Amino acid sequence: MSEPQRYFAKMPYMACRGVTTNLAGPRPGQRLIAGSTIDVQFDYKKTRLYEFSSSDYRNFVIPEDGIYHVHFQASVWANSVRDAGDNINAYINVKDSTGTGVNGNIASVIQQNVRSGWYQTIQVSATEYFTKGSKIRGSIYLDGGAIGDWCVADGEIDTGFYAFMIAPGSGNWTAQSPGPAPELKKWSDGQFVSAQTMNDQTVSQMRAKENPPRVTVRDTSFNMPGNPTDKNAVSWKAAYGNDKFEPVSIGPGWGANTAITIPHDGLYLVSVIGNGRMLNPPAPNAQFAFQISLHRNLDTKPLILLQGGNARKDHESGLLISDVVRFMKGDKVNTRFFGYTSTSRWDSGRSDGRWWTMSFTYLGGGAYGN
């Protein structure tokens, strides 16, 4: 009994803070080259690995099969920028070792750098099933039209790459979950402990920890006017889960698959990636704002709200939502898009399943308030 508890108390993780430097001036950091993608290399002195390993501090080896949450962020600095902004893309990439797990670019966020001599922090996260021996890395792409000096900032608070195991297991993303663990009850002196009671306290607990409820929905397509007054929840095209996370409509007129039904009360790790693309020519040297928000049921007040800007016609900007939220069984959780100005028009941009995603992973009952 004690060995599994020790294992679950400290599962594999990695934390990398601060990149290596190959650009000395005008601002130290890891150089970005226009039209190219770099795999970010981290300073081994500032890297903490538990069970993970790396030979080059660019690629990090998954220590065992399981569900992991990965987060990559990079602060990009430039001393030159086009009037309408240059795009920078952040990716989480995986090289699967067995052919049974995920492979390739699994999550992407795009943003526009619009201020010279300043920092633009771009973030991307994913919760996925990885196989032992697979390699994960964070990558940055810089627009081919960019001029001047560009770099990934080397500070420990600027750029980081993190991963931690949520649950072990040799199944896959959709392997059926047993659901939440049974409630732990105190035993009293002299109490007869049945096999069922013992299993609830041990075997059933372990099975629940090994395969918690989770779902990821991907891919949306919309085209809507700016300042939408209603019905602006995105509709998802595909869902992959291991429990009863049913894709449903929020309500009449909202469209199909605009929400996911939560199957159990409890705390959930939330990750949402979404993009906005302006279809109207923006005014020179101006950003047009948009926001992506997470809602419960038909509530107009968001649970989480993130805001961004878009300065170039026909180019996307992306946002990441990553948080822990308490949901109740039956909640219809939905993501909504809002682009500003009544004369603008927006769409979802690229829709290959990486640029628009929403995932929930059950973490336990907890006592965290709404």
Side-chain angles (χ1 to χ4, degrees):
M1 292 175 63
S2 60
E3 289 305 313
Q5 295 296 342
R6 289 193 184 101
Y7 173 80
F8 283 114
K10 189 178 181 181
M11 291 193 289
Y13 68 85
M14 55 170 267
C16 309
R17 303 180 63 182
V19 301
T20 57
T21 298
N22 60 9
L23 178 66
R27 197 276 178 220
Q30 197 164 137
R31 184 189 295 274
L32 290 173
I33 301 171
S36 299
T37 300
I38 70 162
D39 297 330
V40 176
Q41 184 180 45
F42 290 88
D43 186 342
Y44 75 93
K45 296 177 182 178
K46 303 173 184 176
T47 298
R48 300 292 180 265
L49 304 178
Y50 177 68
E51 303 294 346
F52 281 81
S53 61
S54 179
S55 60
D56 58 6
Y57 294 92
R58 289 188 177 93
N59 297 279
F60 296 86
V61 181
I62 298 294
E64 60 179 288
D65 295 356
I67 303 297
Y68 293 79
H69 184 71
V70 183
H71 179 90
F72 170 53
Q73 68 177 51
S75 287
V76 175
W77 181 92
N79 64 0
S80 180
V81 64
R82 290 203 299 252
D83 287 343
D86 285 298
N87 285 336
I88 46 177
N89 296 20
Y91 304 101
I92 293 174
N93 291 289
V94 181
K95 185 175 182 181
D96 177 50
S97 62
T98 65
T100 59
V102 294
N103 202 49
N105 169 216
I106 63 169
S108 311
V109 170
I110 182 171
Q111 287 185 2
Q112 296 159 1
N113 190 300
V114 294
R115 184 182 177 95
S116 176
W118 197 244
Y119 299 87
Q120 178 93 7
T121 300
I122 185 169
Q123 303 180 80
V124 60
S125 290
T127 306
E128 273 289 0
Y129 176 81
F130 298 131
T131 56
K132 180 179 180 178
S134 295
K135 295 180 180 179
I136 57 173
R137 66 185 187 276
S139 306
I140 294 287
Y141 170 81
L142 175 63
D143 250 5
I147 60 174
D149 291 310
W150 292 71
C151 71
V152 177
D154 61 350
E156 291 187 46
I157 60 172
D158 295 311
T159 305
F161 193 33
Y162 311 92
F164 60 90
M165 177 186 278
I166 296 175
S170 56
N172 55 45
W173 183 261
T174 58
Q176 185 64 40
S177 170
E183 181 182 357
L184 287 174
K185 298 178 181 179
K186 292 183 178 180
W187 293 345
S188 58
D189 290 344
Q191 174 187 348
F192 172 74
V193 178
S194 67
Q196 180 63 49
T197 302
M198 180 63 77
N199 285 335
D200 285 347
Q201 301 283 58
T202 56
V203 176
S204 296
Q205 295 291 325
M206 298 305 137
R207 285 177 177 167
K209 291 178 179 295
E210 288 171 355
N211 192 14
R214 54 186 176 268
V215 68
T216 289
V217 293
R218 296 182 179 276
D219 200 351
T220 188
S221 179
F222 63 79
N223 186 314
M224 67 178 68
N227 291 2
T229 57
D230 202 354
K231 310 298 188 293
N232 59 330
V234 302
S235 181
W236 302 97
K237 295 182 180 180
Y240 310 91
N242 68 347
D243 208 317
K244 296 179 180 179
F245 293 91
E246 302 293 340
V248 296
S249 176
I250 305 171
W254 282 85
N257 303 328
T258 44
I260 292 294
T261 304
I262 298 297
H264 311 287
D265 296 353
L267 292 172
Y268 289 80
L269 174 63
V270 175
S271 182
V272 179
I273 295 173
N275 284 315
R277 179 171 66 171
M278 174 179 276
L279 303 180
N280 305 83
N285 303 312
Q287 280 213 19
F288 284 79
F290 69 95
Q291 63 187 38
I292 295 170
S293 51
L294 191 74
H295 296 253
R296 177 186 285 113
N297 304 314
L298 289 169
D299 294 351
T300 57
K301 182 180 179 181
L303 293 168
I304 305 171
L305 172 69
L306 285 183
Q307 297 173 317
N310 196 310
R312 296 172 65 185
K313 178 186 175 183
D314 291 335
H315 282 70
E316 302 108 312
S317 283
L319 292 174
L320 166 71
I321 291 173
S322 185
D323 209 338
V324 174
V325 181
R326 182 171 180 81
F327 293 125
M328 304 298 291
K329 180 180 180 179
D331 281 345
K332 298 178 181 178
V333 186
N334 55 97
T335 295
R336 303 182 197 176
F337 179 87
F338 188 100
Y340 285 93
T341 79
S342 58
T343 59
S344 67
R345 192 160 193 90
W346 299 78
D347 75 6
S348 51
R350 282 166 279 192
S351 297
D352 62 4
R354 298 169 298 171
W355 305 87
W356 273 96
T357 66
M358 179 172 71
S359 65
F360 307 122
T361 305
Y362 180 81
L363 299 180
Y368 184 78
N370 292 320

